[in-house]
Amino acid sequence: MSHTPEAVILKSKKHFHLLDGLRGIAAIAVVIFHFMEWEKPDISQNFIGHGFLAVDFFLCLSGFVIAYAYDNRLPKMRRKDFFISRLIRLHPLVIIGSILGLIAFLADPFASHAEGYSLAAMALIFLASMLMIPLPVMEERGFNLFGLNAPSWSLFWEYIANILYAFVLIRLSRKTLWVLLIPAAIALVWVSYSAGNLLGGWDGNTFLHGGVRMSYSFLAGLLIFRSGWIIKNKLGFVPLALMLSAAFFMPWHSQNWITESLIVLLYFPFIVALGAGSALSGVLKETSIFLGKISYPLYMTHYAAIWMFGHYFTTRNPTEEQLTWIIVIGTALMIFFAWLVMQFIETPVRKYLTRKRKEKLLKN
């Protein structure tokens, strides 16, 4: 059996730096939204009440980037090599997030929920978290699919999308993708209508909502790339960042489900197409690169602290002014912590794994 050429497996393409920056903006929006969920449990009263739509933007962007990176390469690769590449990229932070979540759960100074779990139960929850196996059993954490690190729910669907891409979607024509996109869009609108929003997917009760959100947005991202829908423009980072942020800050209204559906169906794909067609230079380019690099570490490491903040909020009742400072400083500290994790743990681990893989390929 012939082996995949090392150059094909390890080859990387240029980045769409503006899209990287927008991913960072979306990750920061998620952090602020998670802070505000505690202060405003009724998210219709939350100034960033649509921050959860960042996940749909992530998934659309992921479909575009995967198609860009692998549509030409995957036919020359073994699927095994594709999956190894994706695991090296994604899984170190899954493990890091699980460890941080376990530490925060056991050492939370404002809550003592750990006392209700046996050692075997905690070991099972931790193992499931590290292996990306949904286990919605923690009642005090809203039966999150991943109780120790809630954001992993979207990574679970990202993994499913990657598997479907490698086995099925890579083989499909654009026309066939359109055929699939239509029922995915109908399902998305139905979920939004029946639930009143597109917030679901993170817990046991709304598990399938996550699959619906992934199906439409990932397919839309694939189609943007394969159809060449890259809109050349001179908008640059700031206008596009403001356009993206507007989706998260828009007010709620009685027909909210229609607005959210339109944002995911049309607006986010439009922003991806604009972002892919706009160039950057100078300080804004460096800013986008930084935001892109810390986006995934920030998304996967912030929630351990969010749980501690939530328990602090419910037990200490801080004032509005104190809350404002906590959220501002807390978000900045989480960005800094994400950078530390990226710089000193995640990046060295990924480089080590990539180097070992390269050595193995060269031997073969």
Side-chain angles (χ1 to χ4, degrees), residues 25 29 47-51 53 238-252 259 263 267-268 271:
I25 294 295
F47 78 90
I48 192 169
H50 292 92
L53 291 177
V238 174
L240 283 170
L242 290 173
M243 287 175 64
L244 176 62
S245 299
F248 309 140
F249 289 101
M250 67 175 180
W252 283 62
T259 308
I263 284 173
Y267 190 60
F268 284 162
I271 289 179

Side-chain angles (χ1 to χ4, degrees), residues 2 17 78 82 120-121 125 134 207 261 298:
S2 62
H17 293 305
R78 296 174 301 187
F82 169 75
I125 291 168
F207 173 74
S261 297
L298 177 61

Side-chain angles (χ1 to χ4, degrees), residues 258-298:
I258 297 177
T259 308
E260 288 189 8
S261 297
L262 290 174
I263 284 173
V264 175
L265 293 174
L266 302 174
Y267 190 60
F268 284 162
F270 178 57
I271 289 179
V272 170
L274 286 173
S278 190
L280 287 177
S281 61
V283 175
L284 287 178
K285 181 179 179 180
E286 294 303 314
T287 301
S288 286
I289 290 172
F290 172 77
L291 287 172
K293 284 182 176 179
I294 62 100
S295 60
Y296 182 44
L298 177 61

